[in-house]
Amino acid sequence: MDIAAKFKETAKSVFPVILIVLALGLTIVPLPKDLLARFAAGGLLLIFGLTVFLMGVGMGIEPMGERCGSALVAKKNLPLLLACAFAIGFIVTAAEPDIQVFADQVQEIFPFVNKLAFTFAIAGGVGIFLLLGLLRTILNFPIKIFFVIFYGLLFALAFFAPQNFWPIAFDSGGATTGPMTVPFIMSLGLGVSAVRASKNSDSSFGLTGTASIGPVMAVLAYSIFLRVPQDFFQEIAEVELEAAKSAGFLSKVFLPFANLFPVFLRESLFAIAPLFVLFIIFQLALLKMTARQCARIIVGFVYAYLGLSIFLTGVNGGFSDAGNELGKSLGALAAGGGGWLCLLIAVGIAFGAVIVCAEPAVWVLSEQVEKVSGGAIKRNALLIFLSAGTALGIAIALFANVFDFNLKWILIAGYSASMLLMIFCPPMWTGIAFDSGGVASGPLTSTFILSFTIGAAGANPSDSFGVIALVAMMPLSAIQIMGIIYKAKQRGRKNREKLAKKEAK
């Protein structure tokens, strides 16, 4: 793997975000100079960390996932495969850094939520639906019918849940698909489908999208039995973020990174340790790889661990605070309406269009799609449609906050549209679309974008929940539209080839 080329690609994805924030922070909505400097330093750490992380994923996590999936199917023991799928889904999700951050954000605004129960509900949901997703692949059950059935059950359950928990539930579906979970789940699915349906690429995708359904249903079920204090949602106070003002400029810029790096070294270790333990277990029981193969995978794990630690330090040390302050400033100006409101929406669209390209899991998905399709589906084209869907999702979330739309009806309309598009979309593209919805809402969205919308929400931070849900929802339609266009182009090319052959005769 060419590290220089990978670094260049990640820099192209992150630099637009840095330039937008610096341009606004130095002109229209002035931000403290130390905050902007910390933001720029965090961006550089983010680029370097993402580069190292992706190298580790390619060397260790992806090969391990594919080998595990193939080995489990080769054992021809369905109960063993399903039990392992549940255990993998539960363990990896419970340790996912995004889930810990998301649970803390939910509990901070809704203190009556039990963090441990909330986390276990999400992890259990992922485990169950990872099990169901692999069972679907083995049985070659049509993916479109699978999604229609379970999204129908999901919305039926949602109508019994408190309306204010809809955004949190759908956000949890996006938050589960973090930088450690997605590469392994996708590779596991590819390994299983390679054995069961080697000539049918329709089964290669969709497992991440399937796993995203579980936490939404689990949180909705949890909220039904949760005792919410009466009128709590009308009495939420603004959450103020305090910064130390006594430190010098350089201390303000670099001290947060020095303090956070040990924290994320520990969190990343918790995230990667379950996968490494699974690797050891599978190696001893099933895989029996050579010493050379094991060494390469272990080196990959080390790269992924260090890269993820640096990435999260950069994101949380510089990006989230700048996003919150920028959102506050623009939200305060937009409260007066007019051009400032348009600026807030435009900035949200710009962030959505570029930030999704810097998500680690998006890189993994786009590269695997290009690989499985033999280069027929170009990763840049996939990123364009994914960026468009994400940008539209963030714009809708900001409109909903400003004009107090009921998110419930937006979600129903959006998912209904994606279900209708399945009628015309090729099955493989439906799987890619639902996987895309999961990977679009990774750590950058969970930190920078969520912090930006929390800031823009002002006195009602609970209104910011739902942005991850919308970011996860819009790619479902955007990528399926891309699939329909792709199908039409293929049909047109075949027709032209037939016509050319007839004319040649």
Side-chain angles (χ1 to χ4, degrees):
M1 182 180 292
D2 188 346
I3 187 170
K6 186 67 68 178
F7 183 87
K8 185 178 179 180
E9 288 184 16
T10 55
K12 284 182 179 179
S13 300
V14 177
F15 270 134
V17 181
I18 297 175
L19 293 176
I20 292 170
V21 173
L22 291 179
L24 290 171
L26 291 171
T27 56
I28 301 173
V29 281
L31 297 178
K33 298 297 187 293
D34 61 287
L35 180 61
L36 290 177
R38 186 153 50 91
F39 174 79
L44 294 176
L45 286 176
L46 187 155
I47 293 169
F48 180 71
L50 180 57
T51 302
V52 177
F53 173 77
L54 290 171
M55 286 182 61
V57 167
M59 291 177 64
I61 296 174
E62 286 182 346
M64 173 197 163
E66 291 187 24
R67 288 174 183 271
C68 288
S70 301
L72 284 170
V73 175
K75 293 291 287 184
K76 297 182 179 180
N77 188 331
L78 186 59
L80 174 65
L81 172 64
L82 299 182
C84 287
F86 176 82
I88 289 169
F90 186 91
I91 293 170
V92 173
T93 303
E96 178 65 59
D98 282 1
I99 292 300
Q100 303 303 318
V101 172
F102 182 67
D104 286 335
Q105 288 171 329
V106 171
Q107 191 179 49
E108 184 177 355
I109 296 176
F110 308 122
F112 51 84
V113 171
N114 183 288
K115 180 183 175 182
L116 186 63
F118 185 80
T119 302
F120 281 2
I122 291 174
V126 173
I128 291 170
F129 272 81
L130 184 58
L131 178 157
L132 292 173
L134 289 179
L135 183 62
R136 182 203 69 78
T137 302
I138 291 169
L139 299 177
N140 280 328
F141 189 79
I143 192 170
K144 295 181 180 181
I145 297 176
F146 182 91
F147 281 134
V148 168
I149 291 172
F150 282 102
Y151 271 103
L153 292 173
L154 186 154
F155 279 102
L157 179 65
F159 277 97
F160 295 96
Q163 182 173 305
N164 296 91
F165 265 81
W166 276 52
I168 296 173
F170 280 90
D171 278 357
S172 71
T176 54
T177 47
M180 293 309 306
T181 310
V182 168
F184 185 77
I185 288 179
M186 288 189 64
S187 301
L188 186 69
L190 288 173
V192 172
S193 63
V195 175
R196 298 296 300 178
S198 58
K199 297 182 180 180
N200 181 11
S201 59
D202 293 350
S203 300
S204 300
F205 299 99
L207 190 58
T208 302
T210 299
S212 297
I213 301 173
V216 182
M217 296 186 74
V219 172
L220 288 171
Y222 172 75
S223 69
I224 291 173
F225 298 100
L226 185 66
R227 298 189 64 180
V228 181
Q230 190 174 10
D231 298 329
F232 177 84
F233 292 100
Q234 283 72 42
E235 299 172 0
I236 297 175
E238 180 178 4
V239 178
E240 292 292 338
L241 299 176
E242 304 227 349
K245 299 180 181 179
S246 58
F249 180 82
L250 291 178
S251 296
K252 287 182 178 180
V253 174
F254 296 109
L255 192 59
F257 297 112
N259 291 335
L260 285 173
F261 187 58
V263 174
F264 287 111
L265 277 174
R266 185 175 64 251
E267 287 203 10
S268 298
L269 182 62
F270 288 148
I272 206 166
L275 277 181
F276 190 72
V277 171
L278 288 171
F279 162 67
I280 294 173
I281 293 172
F282 277 110
Q283 168 63 13
L284 295 175
L286 289 173
L287 301 179
K288 311 294 185 184
M289 291 185 291
T290 65
R292 184 183 178 87
Q293 291 171 326
C294 288
R296 180 176 174 82
I297 287 180
I298 290 171
V299 171
F301 268 100
V302 173
Y303 277 145
Y305 167 59
L306 293 175
L308 183 60
S309 302
I310 296 169
F311 175 87
L312 291 175
T313 300
V315 169
N316 291 276
F319 262 60
S320 58
D321 289 347
N324 187 272
E325 289 300 318
L326 186 63
K328 277 185 179 179
S329 300
L330 286 174
L333 293 171
W340 293 112
L341 175 59
C342 294
L343 178 63
L344 174 66
I345 302 299
V347 170
I349 290 173
F351 282 147
V354 297
I355 210 165
V356 69
C357 297
E359 290 284 7
V362 169
W363 282 78
V364 175
L365 174 66
S366 60
E367 289 177 352
Q368 287 192 346
V369 168
E370 193 169 53
K371 177 183 174 183
V372 171
S373 67
I377 303 172
K378 300 300 181 184
R379 101 177 255 283
N380 287 339
L382 187 72
L383 290 176
I384 289 171
F385 277 84
L386 192 54
S387 294
T390 304
L392 184 57
I394 292 173
I396 293 172
L398 291 171
F399 266 115
N401 286 347
V402 172
F403 296 107
D404 198 24
F405 289 164
N406 191 326
L407 187 65
K408 175 172 70 175
W409 302 113
I410 297 174
L411 290 169
I412 290 174
Y415 279 100
S416 297
S418 65
M419 295 297 140
L420 288 173
L421 285 170
M422 287 197 302
I423 299 172
F424 310 99
C425 182
M428 185 181 77
W429 281 93
T430 296
I432 294 172
F434 279 81
D435 281 352
S436 299
V439 303
S441 48
L444 275 177
T445 303
S446 302
T447 52
F448 181 81
I449 295 297
L450 187 56
S451 295
F452 177 75
T453 53
I454 286 175
N460 295 305
S462 63
D463 290 344
S464 60
F465 285 106
V467 65
I468 300 177
L470 290 170
V471 167
M473 180 186 75
M474 294 307 300
L476 307 187
S477 295
I479 301 301
Q480 287 194 102
I481 290 172
M482 181 182 177
I484 294 169
I485 295 171
Y486 178 83
K487 180 181 178 181
K489 285 185 175 180
Q490 274 193 322
R491 187 185 299 118
R493 186 171 63 252
K494 287 180 180 178
N495 290 337
R496 287 193 297 271
E497 289 174 354
K498 287 181 180 178
L499 184 62
K501 287 180 179 178
K502 286 183 179 179
E503 291 177 349
K505 291 180 180 179

